[in-house]
């Protein structure tokens, strides 16, 4: 059983060795990773692995992503602090907490009711008043809270759901793994004068995005 000091040291090591050393250099992003207690977002029996260099199971066949991937996707959004951000795929709530440190408001949508409920309670217990967890099909986005200056999708589909592009603000950025169930590429979209620029970043492997504008349910 580790105490808080052990976790803090493990977290510092994670930031240094897995994130900063691999090229993430935004001071705001690094600070967010130093401050969010990742061990509180994984199941109790996996806590000792919370700061290891990989994804971990969180139930329902879903995962909390590798810390480096969370950092990489977060940095790509270039958040300054004033943004309203939409996340699709709340999972454990860890990515939402990181976003909550870096943006004004975070809306995060999770398809599985039990995961949404656990994440919501967890974030409330940590006093994240700027994070709103919603249960539903995130491929529809959240038109009632649009436009978003940042959108992050943490599950994969063959194409970006059209409603998510439509809900992106002028100048806003969207990052998502795009490809087949077997493997995908992270793609970064930016809305510019009604059009979208697209950049292919790195190869990744995410769980499927299941919904109206994604994969059909297994
Ligand atoms: N961001 C999460 C975290 O920090 O723990 C990890 C996300 S996990 C890799 C992907 C999540 O997307 C799963 O929890 C899955 O249930 C969810 N998901 C899949 N399709 C979805 C959809 N259409 N709407 C909302 N969530 C969805």
């Amino acid at each position: 059983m580790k105490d808080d000091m052990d976790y803090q040291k493990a977290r510092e090591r994670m930031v240094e060795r897995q994130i900063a050393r691999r090229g993430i250099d935004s001071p705001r992003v690094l600070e967010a990773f130093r401050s969010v207690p990742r061990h509180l977002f994984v199941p109790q029996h996996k806590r000792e692995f919370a700061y290891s260099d990989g994804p971990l199971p969180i139930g329902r066949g879903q995962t909390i992503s590798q810390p480096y991937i969370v950092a990489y996707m977060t940095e790509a959004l270039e958040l300054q602090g004033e943004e309203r951000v939409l996340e699709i795929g709340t999972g454990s709530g860890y990515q939402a907490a990181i976003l909550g440190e870096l943006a004004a408001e975070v809306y995060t949508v999770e398809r599985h009711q039990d995961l949404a409920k656990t994440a919501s309670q967890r974030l409330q217990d940590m006093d994240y008043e700027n994070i709103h967890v919603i249960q539903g099909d995130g491929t529809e986005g959240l038109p009632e809270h649009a436009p978003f200056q940042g959108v992050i999708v943490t599950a994969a589909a063959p194409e970006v759901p059209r409603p998510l592009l439509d809900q992106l603000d002028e100048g806003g950025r969207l990052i998502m793994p795009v490809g087949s169930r077997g493997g995908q590429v992270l793609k970064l979209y930016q809305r510019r004068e009604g059009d979208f620029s697209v950049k292919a970043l790195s190869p990744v492997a995410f769980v499927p995005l299941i919904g109206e504008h994604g994969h059909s349910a297994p």
Side-chain angles (χ1 to χ4, degrees), residues 62-63 87 89-92 95 109-112 137-138 154 210:
Q62 306 303 323
T63 52
E87 180 197 20
T90 313
S92 67
Q95 170 79 76
V109 186
E110 171 56 51
R111 165 177 182 260
H112 288 293
D137 175 9
T154 62
I210 293 168

Side-chain angles (χ1 to χ4, degrees), residues 115-190:
L115 292 181
K117 204 169 157 207
T118 306
S120 178
Q121 189 59 56
R122 187 175 275 152
L123 292 163
Q124 222 172 297
D125 292 346
M126 291 181 192
D127 294 330
Y128 279 107
E129 289 176 5
N130 64 338
I131 304 178
H132 316 280
V133 181
I134 293 122
Q135 191 268 322
D137 175 9
T139 68
E140 304 280 9
L142 287 177
E144 63 277 34
H145 297 291
F148 299 98
Q149 291 76 46
V151 176
I152 181 166
V153 186
T154 62
E159 281 174 31
V160 178
R162 185 69 218 186
L164 301 184
L165 288 172
D166 290 342
Q167 292 169 32
L168 198 58
D169 203 0
E170 177 60 31
R173 290 162 180 260
L174 177 153
I175 188 160
M176 171 175 167
V178 179
S180 67
R181 281 182 191 254
Q184 313 93 32
V185 172
L186 273 182
K187 290 199 176 171
L188 179 66
Y189 293 72
Q190 190 171 20

Side-chain angles (χ1 to χ4, degrees), residues 58-109:
I58 56 169
R60 287 277 183 178
Q62 306 303 323
T63 52
I64 174 172
S65 305
Q66 181 192 21
Y68 171 66
I69 290 292
V70 180
Y72 185 83
M73 291 176 77
T74 303
E75 189 173 61
L77 292 179
E78 297 189 13
L79 299 170
Q80 307 298 315
E82 301 301 317
E83 297 85 355
R84 188 162 54 240
V85 176
L86 173 65
E87 180 197 20
I88 308 305
T90 313
S92 67
Y94 178 67
Q95 170 79 76
I98 294 287
L99 295 169
E101 298 283 332
L102 295 166
E105 294 294 329
V106 178
Y107 292 87
T108 177
V109 186

